[in-house]
Amino acid sequence: MAFRVAVLYAPIDEPYMQQFDKHLQRLKRGFVRVWHTGQILPGNNRDLDVADQVENSRIVAVLVSADYLAMDECHSPAIYNATVNAALGIQTLIPIIARSCNWEQSPLGHLAPIPDNANPISQCDDQDAAWKHVAAHIAKALSEITSSIPGEAERKRRELTGDTCDSSSVAILEVWFDNKSQIFYLQDFNSIGRLSQNSIVILHPQISRRHCIIAQQVGGFFICDLNSSCGTSVNGNQLTATGLRHGDNIMLGSVKATFRIIRKSASGKCST
């Protein structure tokens, strides 16, 4: 059985990928198939290719730089989907700090980076040693996957399944703060936080810049905390990730919210 690894990076960081690829050769000669964005053919849709490879790869590595953080891809459903999968334990998402940047404030900022000290590889005196360390980390992650119980990932996904929406319904998040409520209509991928780049912006001191993600996958809606300062809980249980069901009460720090699935009437209007 071959395991797939996808590596994402900005085009300007191709030299770093070339160095990384040399250190992946031992894995590639074994049971690992490595795909990277430099393999996208001219004329192909990068967004579609990336989404497909990320969805079908057990490990997703990102060469992080200011150029990659500036790309829409860094804030795309593909990355958010991988983030949710990583929190559920069914995929591994690894930020590799290639060049100095403010990666902590990105959608990847809640993840443990490599090198372990987050020292950019571009600033390492011995870059070969740094890439060797990164490759060893990938190999270790693959080893942990192969030693895991068969079907464990899918079992966990089924345990955390949430409610789904179809063409006759919509999902909403009702949020209470400043003595008033506000209703947000949820899409398939929703990032919540104080930063303006989030799809749902909540300006409250207990909401982190990137606080959590609510996403709809095959198993229904999930909520995934992004290592927020004040945490996320559902029905009183502090969590990293869990499925969401109609009527679930959510606490984003001290901000109250409720997840609901509402039905559309024949006229297309929404009703409870």
Side-chain angles (χ1 to χ4, degrees):
M1 177 181 179
F3 288 91
R4 299 174 64 172
V5 176
V7 186
L8 314 181
Y9 57 93
I12 197 172
D13 292 320
E14 178 66 32
Y16 291 96
M17 183 63 225
Q18 292 176 4
Q19 293 300 313
F20 185 28
D21 192 53
K22 295 176 184 177
H23 289 270
L24 292 174
Q25 288 305 309
R26 182 180 65 83
L27 294 176
K28 292 168 70 174
R29 293 190 186 100
F31 57 92
V32 180
R33 294 180 182 176
V34 178
W35 177 91
H36 58 82
T37 49
Q39 295 173 335
I40 297 175
L41 298 175
N44 278 20
N45 185 308
R46 177 178 173 122
D47 292 342
L48 293 179
D49 281 3
V50 167
D52 177 67
Q53 293 293 334
V54 168
E55 180 181 356
N56 291 289
S57 294
R58 187 59 181 82
I59 292 179
V60 178
V62 182
L63 304 189
V64 184
S65 67
D67 287 277
Y68 188 80
L69 297 184
M71 296 176 65
D72 290 340
E73 182 175 296
C74 184
H75 308 273
S76 68
I79 290 293
Y80 288 142
N81 192 40
T83 298
V84 173
N85 285 339
L88 294 174
I90 60 179
Q91 195 171 41
T92 302
L93 180 59
I94 304 173
I96 301 167
I97 314 303
R99 294 189 286 127
S100 182
C101 58
N102 190 20
W103 70 275
E104 296 92 339
Q105 307 305 324
S106 77
L108 305 170
H110 65 290
L111 298 166
I114 47 177
D116 296 332
N117 58 5
N119 186 42
I121 288 178
S122 63
Q123 296 180 13
C124 294
D125 294 332
D126 188 344
Q127 292 192 12
D128 272 332
W131 286 120
K132 178 182 177 182
H133 172 72
V134 172
H137 189 97
I138 299 292
K140 180 181 178 182
L142 287 166
S143 176
E144 291 172 352
I145 293 169
T146 57
S147 63
S148 63
I149 301 172
E152 180 70 13
E154 286 307 313
R155 183 192 64 78
K156 182 179 290 188
R157 183 195 287 272
R158 287 195 298 271
E159 286 181 351
L160 297 176
T161 185
D163 287 346
T164 61
C165 279
D166 54 28
S167 59
S168 66
S169 61
V170 295
I172 65 169
L173 187 70
E174 186 172 9
V175 180
W176 286 269
F177 60 99
D178 293 339
N179 296 318
K180 60 183 180 181
S181 69
Q182 185 172 358
I183 291 177
F184 298 94
Y185 286 85
L186 299 175
Q187 307 301 315
D188 284 344
F189 295 90
N190 312 269
S191 59
I192 301 173
R194 294 202 318 270
L195 290 179
S196 60
Q197 294 95 328
N198 290 291
S199 48
I200 296 177
V201 178
I202 302 176
L203 299 177
H204 188 278
Q206 290 216 340
I207 299 292
S208 295
R209 293 180 178 89
R210 297 190 185 278
H211 195 99
C212 66
I213 291 171
I214 295 178
Q216 182 171 218
Q217 297 185 316
V218 175
F221 274 95
F222 294 85
I223 185 169
C224 168
D225 185 76
L226 298 179
N227 197 28
S228 61
S229 298
C230 296
T232 301
S233 64
V234 175
N235 300 327
N237 299 312
Q238 198 81 8
L239 57 87
T240 299
T242 191
L244 284 175
R245 296 187 178 278
H246 173 75
D248 277 350
N249 294 311
I250 302 168
M251 293 294 294
L252 309 171
S254 62
V255 176
K256 298 179 181 180
T258 302
F259 172 80
R260 293 194 178 94
I261 302 288
I262 57 178
R263 299 293 172 184
K264 298 177 184 177
S265 65
S267 64
K269 295 181 179 180
C270 297
S271 60
T272 56

